[in-house]
Amino acid sequence: MTLTPTGDLFPLLAAVLAALCCGLLGNFLVLRRLSLMGDAMSHSVLPGLVIAFMLTGSRTAPVMFLGATLAGVATVVLVELIKRLGRVESGAAMGVVFSVLFALGVLFIERAARNTDLDANCVLHGQLESLVWWDGPASWSGVAISGLVEAAPPQIWTLTITCGLTIALVVALYKELRLAAFDPALATAQGFSATLLHYVLMIFVAGATVAAFEAVGSILVIAMLIVPAATARLLTDRLAPQLLVSVAVAIAAAAMGYMGSIAVPHAFNKPEVNAAGSMAIMLGVLLSLAAVFGPRYGVLATATRRSRMARRIELDDLLGRLYRQEEAETATVPAPRRAIKRARRRGLVAPDRLALTDDGRARAAALVRRHRLWEAYLVDRAGLAADHVHDPAENLEHLPEALPPEMGETDPHGRPIPPI
Amino acid sequence: MSDTVVHSGHAAPTSLAERPEHSSDSPLSIHAMTVAYQRKPVLWDVDYDAPANALVAVVGPNGAGKSTLIKAALGLVPRASGLVEFWGEPYKRVRDRVAYVPQRESVDWTFPVSALDVVCMGRYRRVGWLRPVGRAHKKVALECLDRVGLADLAHRQISQLSGGQQQRVFLARALAQEGDLYVMDEPFAGVDAATERAIVALLRELREAGKTAIVVHHDLQTVPEYFDHALLLNMRVVAAGPVNEVFTRENLHKTYGGKLTLLSEAAEAVARSGLKVR
Amino acid sequence: MALARPEALLIGDVLEVLTFQGGYNTNAVLVGSAMLGLAAGVVGVFALLRKRSLVADAIGHATLPGIVIAFLIAVMLGASGRSLPVLLLGAAVSAAMAVLGIFGILKYTRLREDAAIGIVLGVFFGVGVVLLSYVQRPENVTASPAGLHHFIYGQTAAMRAGDAMLMAGIALSAVVVTAVMFKELALASFNDDYARVAGFPVSLLDGLMLGLVVLVTVAGLQAVGLILVIALLIIPPVAARLWTDRLLPLMLISGGLGALSGYIGAATSALLPRAPAGSVIVLCGGGVFVLSLLIAPKHGVVAMAGRRAVQRLRIAGEHLLEAAYEHDVSRKGDTTIPARTIRAMERLWGWPIWLGPMVIAGLRRRGHLQRTSDGYELTTTGAARGARIARNHQLWEQYLQTYADVAPGHVDWSADTVEHVLSPELVAELEAALKAKGALP
């Protein structure tokens, strides 16, 4: 059966919506160091779904949601209980709870719910393909809004409602959730019960997990919850931008992952691969890009900053040494050739011999001034011994923005402090 | 049979007769409070009434239960027994009037918020559920930041502040709560000289404004200079009252044991500040 | 397996399997699963102590891409792709890469451990799912990938004796390495900084520990499956923690509980064809844990609650006796304590309503307190006991004041007598001090 161009609309929409609500909620998990609660939740929602199904024989959204939410709350309560009673850290407590619950879910699926479409494999990678619009119009021009509304499978509506509620929650309780994540004690003290907010958040995470279950299965939800927020955390310093970036990352990864799972294998004349897994891979790619190229916290940026600082310190040391050499008229001191070359290029050291130019002398004087001011300050105010202040001063002199107050005309060793 | 009141200063409450209600003027009254972690008691039968409009230092050796005292009073750690009242009322009813400054390590400073955001958190109770922080509240928060000398750094992310500046952000947040009682857990721990001066100035300001501050403090030497009341704590209340009455050699010895250098330093400090050591 | 009959189990069948009479294959699987449980229990203790339990979760999930890639490579090279050692090798390699991934994230970004584990778990598993969907299309790969998905949920029913031997062999080697390196691993997991200063290569030991986790994970893939293998590593140690506080017993108990759940789980799975072995083994472990949580004498819920209740009643009883005794002393002659005064005391002490009646009942049962017309009265023994408690508290107080710098850690107000904690000489000294103050009769 060939697919019309509009056939992918609903799976794609489902993937994007699932990523959106998981990605948004994941921020609060990552910030509260509860990422693994997402892990636990995504595993332990399974028995909730299965038991709800077994009890009611229905796979309608409200039943599934109720079952999963109860399982989610049970997870949180059980983890808390085992943490307290079993005297273990929360990671281990979560491990105990979710593995047992997941095992229960798998057993029930295998033994009782076998004859339904709820099978153990869709737990792993979702069933986006079941949303494909087989009898959709042949081209986009034939698509009408009313037709879309009519054709949309129920899963799309579930996801839309979940997303809407999640966004509403985060917008309405933005300030409360932020406070509870940053300082639960203050939140409680101010009358915003941190425990209540925690449970509200967890219920939403459970809900998002169920909604996303159709799209990505129950294991890959963890990637959807954690990776967008983690990526955003590497790129931003404020919560609101972090939320926006995480949502953008989630949507981009979902869309690119879904389309890539079809387009890339097709380019090699192979059938498409699993879409949910591809989305997880896309998330991994985006995270790696942020980790390497992030403007402030990326590996490259950090390395560049560090090497620039190292070079500046090298240069400063050379200038300082030459200045002191001029002062004391001692013999030449060895210096790394790289630093000398750089100093000459900037016109700080004379091109023909190892001596300061006027520019170089001015900069060196400022440097030596900072050094000696610090020495004087440390002896006078911090009460350090005169022979212990060289090293700290050596570190402080490289920070032009930190300058101690005026300390007289000589340093503790009796050498003059160069005037400005 | 009439109930009579018998006082003698030790362990369990000494009279079967009900004690007269503590004065409702006292911003913080603690009755017979015991706190235990696992089986070990940390605080045993603490009775204390904080004076109104005063700066109170809570001092004592390591492990004496100083932080536990204020955390238990605020309900942050469970009490094994005892009652705590603020102005004669349970904490829940007067939350607005109590501002708590926790130890700096209690939060994650890489959290994605600015200094101003943190101070605004002190206004949340006034803002209420669901509503965003309005301009008026932000203005108050900015003023509070200004009072601790950090107005310039309002929009810095909090991990980019120094330890002392972070401490001052916490103080500004407590100021923003506009309470009548300020409970501070080691605000002077590990801060630079500028911050220490700022905190001291702030404490005096609070006293001028008729507020009370209860401060867990670790430096005996500065107690006479910074505070007017002291609570000497070592699992139990050893002594409490105005600094010059409480800081006696005997009391300090009872609190700290035989660490003589420490004691003589403290006594010297008392002498320097012009108080009389009895 | 021979016994895999669809319905209606007979007790005879159960006994047959449990007593190793279910045939060679079944026996091999039972022994292998028990060995696996033992190894996981032993290795898991260190993972738990190092707070690395959930790293094992990421390791488990991260084996999936390795298994599929190993399969693909084997097929490309013309082998069958069903060779267990090859698949397990692939699993081990990708698990090791996952560990490196976690440490890379921790080292080079500002993300925390929980996020790093979640990221690696999700992304590796995603790669695995994509690869699995690729090999499952017959037009992509000629060899049948049937059996690969057994690694996800585990399937003892499909295991042959040889597979079980391999599993037992890997598990055994993990146990042997742990036994040999016990001392070093214990030191590194207890106090890594100290171990580092003492000259132990802590990073190497850490690597070894995670290597053992990888080994056990890989061994358990066939029987338990990669999603649930974490349970083997985590549940027995957490359960054993409730039984003991010492390391060696902890490891022995944990290994024993692990072996037990492996054995029972594998046997059950052998009997119930549609019960995935992984789930059953994990649920057995879960059962063992719940049981431990309830009945473990050391930290079990029942024992703890009992001890706490006894403790609380005792402290409360002492409070009341002491107060009653002092009431007597302060008012010679009329020794009746009105009931309403007791109620007022309870309020002051912040007692919940049920505590007072229980305390009074206890004191009356022991003959310390007796009812009078309008209240209660101390008996002679009650007065004596009250006096002793009051003296104890005064001595403790004196001790706190005299030895304030060392005291707080030693004080135990609820100790029956001070002499149990402090030396008789010290008590005599404190008594003398109190008498000098006139505080002690």
Side-chain angles (χ1 to χ4, degrees):
Chain A
M1 201 181 218
T2 52
L3 198 52
T4 58
T6 51
D8 286 324
L9 177 65
F10 291 128
L12 185 59
L13 197 58
V16 167
L17 289 172
L20 172 64
C21 61
C22 288
L24 194 55
L25 290 170
N27 284 289
F28 297 97
L29 294 179
V30 170
L31 283 176
R32 299 190 51 190
R33 302 186 194 175
L34 282 175
S35 305
L36 294 171
M37 201 45 132
D39 185 12
M41 208 66 106
S42 64
H43 283 81
S44 57
V45 151
L46 184 66
L49 290 177
V50 185
I51 292 172
F53 172 77
M54 283 164 59
L55 289 180
T56 64
S58 138
R59 268 203 74 184
T60 52
V63 172
M64 295 279 118
F65 265 86
L66 191 66
T69 307
L70 289 180
V73 173
T75 309
V76 180
V77 173
L78 286 175
V79 167
E80 228 14 79
L81 202 68
I82 290 181
K83 210 162 76 182
R84 202 134 27 92
L85 297 179
R87 304 175 313 134
V88 288
E89 35 106 22
S90 61
M94 283 181 211
V96 171
V97 173
F98 80 69
S99 58
V100 170
L101 287 178
F102 190 79
L104 208 62
V106 172
L107 190 68
F108 282 157
I109 283 194
E110 287 290 318
R111 288 197 62 80
R114 233 250 156 123
N115 305 325
T116 68
D117 50 348
L118 194 72
D119 72 68
N121 279 328
C122 84
V123 173
L124 295 181
H125 40 64
Q127 20 181 226
L128 276 179
E129 63 276 14
S130 73
L131 300 181
V132 167
W133 197 7
W134 292 109
D135 47 0
S139 76
W140 287 107
S141 55
V143 178
I145 296 288
S146 59
L148 278 182
V149 171
E150 212 167 283
Q155 287 93 329
I156 294 287
W157 295 120
T158 313
L159 276 166
T160 311
I161 294 169
T162 314
C163 264
L165 288 175
T166 305
I167 294 172
L169 170 88
V170 172
V171 170
L173 288 181
Y174 176 74
K175 130 176 148 294
E176 288 81 2
L177 288 171
R178 181 169 76 168
L179 174 60
F182 176 62
D183 192 344
L186 181 74
T188 305
Q190 297 232 29
F192 306 99
S193 162
T195 320
L196 177 68
L197 286 164
H198 178 65
Y199 275 95
V200 168
L201 183 66
M202 286 303 150
I203 287 174
F204 268 78
V205 171
T209 310
V210 194
F213 180 82
E214 299 275 352
V216 295
S218 96
I219 310 281
L220 290 171
V221 166
I222 170 85
M224 292 282 175
L225 281 168
I226 304 310
V227 184
T231 310
R233 189 102 176 78
L234 298 178
L235 298 173
T236 59
D237 262 334
R238 288 288 193 291
L239 188 54
Q242 182 185 318
L243 294 181
L244 295 177
V245 171
S246 70
V247 166
V249 167
I251 291 175
M256 290 194 292
Y258 183 80
M259 294 193 283
S261 75
I262 299 166
V264 173
H266 282 189
F268 296 96
N269 267 328
K270 299 276 186 192
E272 63 276 4
V273 293
N274 179 265
S278 310
M279 289 186 245
I281 296 177
M282 243 9 261
L283 283 168
V285 170
L286 292 180
L287 177 89
S288 312
L289 290 177
V292 175
F293 299 107
R296 186 192 278 272
Y297 300 106
V299 173
L300 282 184
T302 318
T304 317
R305 253 200 321 274
R306 202 167 292 154
S307 83
R308 194 176 300 151
M309 185 73 185
R311 279 203 305 262
R312 203 178 90 207
I313 289 176
E314 219 173 55
L315 189 67
D316 280 357
D317 285 350
L318 172 70
L319 296 179
R321 248 184 270 178
L322 290 175
Y323 185 90
R324 291 186 182 106
Q325 193 179 301
E326 277 183 7
E327 224 177 24
E329 289 171 3
T330 53
T332 346
V333 276
R337 198 166 303 158
R338 262 186 322 173
I340 298 173
K341 233 160 117 189
R342 208 166 323 115
R344 287 207 168 115
R345 213 166 43 232
R346 296 200 195 171
L348 299 171
V349 165
D352 43 348
R353 63 207 169 86
L354 198 52
L356 292 168
T357 63
D358 287 346
D359 277 0
R361 194 165 299 111
R363 185 167 158 178
L367 189 80
V368 171
R369 174 181 159 74
R370 278 202 296 275
H371 182 96
R372 290 183 182 163
L373 278 175
W374 272 119
E375 285 194 338
Y377 177 83
L378 289 173
V379 169
D380 257 39
R381 302 287 167 85
L384 292 179
D387 53 346
H388 276 92
V389 293
H390 179 78
D391 289 344
E394 192 72 20
N395 288 328
L396 291 163
E397 70 178 18
H398 299 297
L399 307 170
E401 62 273 19
L403 197 64
E406 204 59 51
M407 295 299 304
E409 291 182 354
T410 57
D411 73 1
H413 310 292
R415 290 179 296 233
I417 294 177
I420 302 167
Chain B
M1 173 186 137
S2 73
D3 297 336
T4 49
V5 182
V6 182
H7 277 290
S8 84
H10 71 80
T14 48
S15 159
L16 274 184
E18 194 164 355
R19 223 180 263 248
E21 273 310 305
H22 289 233
S23 154
S24 62
D25 291 342
S26 169
L28 170 64
S29 317
I30 299 174
H31 318 261
M33 183 169 80
T34 296
V35 180
Y37 291 137
Q38 306 289 351
R39 290 193 56 187
K40 284 273 176 204
V42 183
L43 292 170
W44 189 268
D45 258 326
V46 169
D47 279 286
Y48 180 62
D49 271 33
N53 190 14
L55 303 179
V56 183
V58 180
V59 289
N62 289 333
K66 293 172 299 213
S67 290
T68 307
L69 176 82
I70 60 177
K71 282 188 190 149
L74 294 173
L76 294 172
V77 299
R79 303 189 280 264
S81 70
L83 289 178
V84 175
E85 283 177 354
F86 296 81
W87 298 283
E89 301 208 52
Y91 175 55
K92 278 202 172 117
R93 284 225 222 116
V94 289
R95 266 186 181 145
D96 303 20
R97 299 177 63 190
V98 182
Y100 171 51
V101 182
Q103 287 186 15
R104 194 149 45 85
E105 299 79 41
S106 66
V107 300
D108 171 12
W109 288 94
T110 67
F111 200 87
V113 285
S114 68
L116 183 60
D117 290 335
V118 174
V119 179
C120 281
M121 288 176 183
R123 306 292 297 173
Y124 280 13
R125 179 138 180 101
R126 278 159 212 279
V127 177
W129 281 93
L130 298 175
R131 264 176 302 179
V133 183
R135 199 170 296 160
H137 289 295
K138 280 202 179 128
K139 197 162 153 263
V140 175
L142 253 179
E143 282 163 16
C144 294
L145 264 180
D146 193 35
R147 279 168 73 187
V148 298
L150 289 180
D152 297 343
L153 304 179
H155 297 287
R156 281 261 183 106
Q157 203 260 326
I158 49 174
S159 66
Q160 293 159 18
L161 301 174
S162 73
Q165 288 165 342
Q166 290 174 348
Q167 188 66 59
R168 281 190 267 166
V169 168
F170 261 8
L171 284 173
R173 185 175 78 175
L175 287 178
Q177 282 178 256
E178 295 185 331
D180 296 312
L181 171 65
Y182 292 78
V183 183
M184 309 183 184
D185 200 348
E186 299 259 15
F188 292 103
V191 300
D192 52 288
T195 299
E196 182 150 347
R197 279 195 299 276
I199 299 175
V200 172
L202 202 66
L203 286 174
R204 300 212 164 119
E205 242 178 76
L206 289 176
R207 185 176 48 195
E208 299 296 302
K211 322 267 185 186
T212 300
I214 299 176
V215 181
V216 172
H217 194 51
H218 62 284
D219 181 12
L220 273 183
Q221 286 203 55
T222 49
V223 170
E225 192 187 335
Y226 296 167
F227 298 94
D228 10 82
H229 277 251
L231 167 63
L232 294 184
L233 194 71
N234 193 356
M235 273 185 79
R236 311 233 15 245
V237 175
V238 176
V243 172
N244 57 339
E245 286 173 25
V246 169
F247 259 49
T248 62
R249 267 177 207 286
E250 196 201 343
N251 278 339
L252 288 172
H253 189 81
K254 278 185 192 170
T255 319
Y256 284 89
K259 291 178 182 157
L260 283 173
T261 47
L262 193 72
L263 297 183
S264 51
E265 274 172 19
E268 260 173 45
V270 175
R272 259 206 314 277
S273 68
L275 299 170
K276 202 170 141 269
V277 181
R278 294 184 304 177
Chain C
M1 247 179 245
L3 275 159
R5 219 175 296 152
E7 299 303 330
L9 280 172
L10 299 172
I11 293 187
D13 293 347
V14 177
L15 279 180
E16 220 172 275
V17 170
L18 286 177
T19 52
F20 295 104
Q21 289 162 16
Y24 179 61
N25 243 351
T26 312
N27 288 348
V29 171
L30 287 189
V31 172
S33 301
M35 276 310 296
L36 172 70
L38 173 72
V42 167
V43 171
V45 165
F46 288 120
L48 178 72
L49 292 178
R50 271 306 248 162
K51 300 193 166 55
R52 291 265 165 76
S53 298
L54 287 181
V55 175
D57 194 26
I59 289 177
H61 286 74
T63 53
L64 185 58
I67 294 170
V68 188
I69 289 174
F71 171 79
L72 277 171
I73 292 177
V75 170
M76 255 187 337
L77 296 177
S80 81
R82 306 281 285 268
S83 153
L84 187 60
V86 171
L87 297 181
L88 294 189
L89 185 68
V93 171
S94 73
M97 282 173 61
V99 172
L100 292 181
I102 291 174
F103 284 104
I105 290 175
L106 290 180
K107 180 159 184 211
Y108 292 110
T109 74
R110 58 174 180 163
L111 297 171
R112 318 248 181 216
E113 190 163 1
D114 61 321
I117 292 173
I119 291 164
V120 166
L121 188 159
V123 174
F124 270 70
F125 196 74
V127 175
V129 165
V130 167
L131 289 171
L132 201 60
S133 74
Y134 177 80
V135 300
Q136 273 168 346
R137 302 293 282 252
E139 58 265 51
N140 290 335
V141 183
T142 46
S144 158
L148 282 193
H149 68 265
H150 286 328
F151 288 109
I152 295 173
Y153 291 118
Q155 180 88 297
T156 42
M159 275 175 89
R160 314 198 53 79
D163 300 345
M165 299 290 197
L166 182 64
M167 173 167 88
I170 300 176
L172 192 64
S173 61
V175 174
V176 169
V177 173
T178 313
V180 171
M181 300 292 289
F182 178 76
K183 180 167 86 324
E184 288 76 12
L185 285 170
L187 184 61
S189 59
F190 171 63
N191 189 340
D192 53 344
D193 281 341
Y194 173 76
R196 203 166 281 133
V197 173
F200 288 93
V202 170
S203 337
L204 218 67
L205 288 169
D206 252 359
L208 175 71
M209 198 266 288
L210 288 168
L212 288 169
V213 170
V214 170
L215 215 55
V216 170
T217 306
V218 166
L221 284 181
Q222 251 212 325
V224 195
L226 55 87
I227 298 181
L228 286 175
V229 73
I230 160 93
L232 285 188
L233 285 156
I234 211 171
I235 296 178
V238 173
R241 197 83 183 75
L242 298 161
W243 293 85
T244 177
D245 281 331
R246 298 200 4 257
L247 188 56
L248 192 60
L250 184 64
M251 299 202 54
L252 296 177
I253 295 175
S254 171
L257 293 179
L260 188 70
S261 36
Y263 167 68
I264 297 178
T268 316
S269 170
L271 292 163
L272 303 171
R274 270 178 20 206
S279 301
V280 179
I281 293 178
V282 171
L283 288 173
C284 283
V288 168
F289 170 74
V290 172
L291 215 60
S292 304
L293 190 62
L294 291 177
I295 62 159
K298 187 108 192 166
H299 300 291
V301 172
V302 175
M304 292 274 279
R307 271 202 300 273
R308 203 160 22 222
V310 167
Q311 166 100 347
R312 179 148 196 204
L313 278 175
R314 205 179 81 170
I315 291 184
E318 287 186 2
H319 258 115
L320 196 63
L321 271 185
E322 184 183 12
Y325 165 75
E326 270 154 12
H327 175 87
D328 274 8
V329 171
S330 69
R331 191 162 357 166
K332 295 178 180 69
D334 180 9
T335 54
T336 299
I337 307 154
R340 71 188 159 86
T341 310
I342 291 187
R343 275 198 301 280
M345 292 304 306
E346 288 169 8
R347 245 200 336 277
L348 191 63
W349 285 329
W351 286 6
I353 36 169
W354 52 266
L355 188 57
M358 279 187 72
V359 168
I360 289 172
L363 290 177
R364 285 176 67 187
R365 203 171 48 243
R366 251 172 268 133
H368 294 326
L369 211 61
Q370 63 194 22
R371 243 200 115 77
T372 63
S373 54
D374 59 342
Y376 299 93
E377 191 178 45
L378 279 180
T379 61
T380 332
T381 52
R385 174 127 180 91
R388 197 162 85 235
I389 295 165
R391 167 182 167 275
N392 274 349
H393 283 181
Q394 274 181 308
L395 282 171
W396 276 126
E397 183 141 344
Q398 182 62 29
Y399 174 66
L400 256 184
Q401 293 183 0
T402 323
Y403 298 95
D405 46 346
V406 290
H410 294 203
V411 173
D412 185 357
W413 294 91
S414 54
D416 218 18
T417 51
V418 185
E419 286 85 350
H420 290 175
V421 187
L422 303 181
S423 69
E425 296 80 25
L426 195 50
V427 174
E429 181 196 322
L430 296 172
E431 264 180 338
L434 278 176
K435 280 193 183 121
K437 279 201 264 178
L440 211 63

